[in-house]
Amino acid sequence: MTIGSMFGDVFRSLFKKPVTERYPFQRPRIPERLRAKVVWNPENCSGCQLCVKDCPANALELIVVDKASKRFVMRYHADRCIYCAQCIESCRFKCLGFSTEEWELASANKTPFEVLYGRNEDIQFLLERAAQACSEQPDECREVK
Ligand code: SF4
Ligand code: SF4
């Protein structure tokens, strides 16, 4: 390549649109079937625990609030998840899926990687129960049981 042809390329590129994406200033459109954060909808959950048993990474926990009225909270450990989609395959009631919005999962600390899914009142109930256990038995205050 001669210097002259290089200048020609440089000159032409001044009038072309950049091919690089302006991420993170503009979020790109993600592929429809991207495997991102697992999300859970409690509405149809039967509490069968199949998703929990089938997860090879031990990334899901189903916490029972009230079995009779099918009130559950799902704890998802995004830092353990290998995005294999086994839980989504296993759930007969289509409660699980991959998020189309939450796919930027990098973080400098572990806090965003432990997610509680469920109805607000059920999550609140569990947090209050954990806080109470924490005040009564400080040794057990690390987890929502
Ligand atoms: S995608 Fe795979 S690793 Fe992640 S929670 Fe589901 S079964 Fe577990
Ligand atoms: S497999 Fe589906 S119905 Fe069964 S516990 Fe998991 S989310 Fe609920």
Side-chain angles (χ1 to χ4, degrees):
M1 181 180 276
T2 63
I3 296 279
S5 70
M6 268 174 65
F7 274 121
D9 284 346
V10 170
F11 186 74
R12 272 191 297 278
S13 72
L14 290 176
F15 300 98
K16 282 187 188 159
K17 273 177 75 172
V19 290
T20 48
E21 292 183 348
R22 299 199 64 238
Y23 182 81
F25 306 108
Q26 281 174 1
R27 288 181 104 212
R29 283 176 62 143
I30 58 162
E32 237 171 66
R33 299 178 67 190
L34 181 79
R35 295 187 176 197
K37 190 173 181 179
V38 169
V39 287
W40 180 72
N41 181 346
E43 290 310 317
N44 296 327
C45 181
S46 67
C48 68
Q49 300 268 5
L50 259 186
C51 54
V52 176
K53 286 180 193 150
D54 288 351
C55 173
N58 204 18
L60 297 173
E61 292 172 66
L62 193 75
I63 304 164
V64 179
V65 176
D66 181 12
K67 198 167 185 179
S69 56
K70 295 191 175 169
R71 289 173 57 200
F72 309 103
V73 169
M74 179 73 82
R75 179 157 46 196
Y76 169 56
H77 299 270
D79 54 343
R80 296 184 198 161
C81 181
I82 56 171
Y83 309 98
C84 65
Q86 182 58 58
C87 54
I88 298 167
E89 288 287 319
S90 298
C91 182
R92 289 172 297 156
F93 301 105
K94 308 256 178 264
C95 301
L96 291 144
F98 287 122
S99 171
T100 53
E101 292 297 320
E102 294 179 82
W103 46 268
E104 295 154 303
L105 303 179
S107 170
N109 60 63
K110 287 194 77 167
T111 311
F113 295 121
E114 188 172 303
V115 186
L116 290 176
Y117 291 127
R119 297 177 187 88
N120 287 341
E121 62 271 25
D122 293 341
I123 293 174
Q124 195 56 39
F125 173 80
L126 284 181
L127 293 175
E128 284 168 12
R129 192 170 76 182
Q132 192 179 349
C134 195
S135 63
E136 287 167 10
Q137 291 174 300
D139 290 348
E140 292 188 16
C141 73
R142 284 193 63 229
E143 296 209 357
V144 178
K145 298 274 184 191

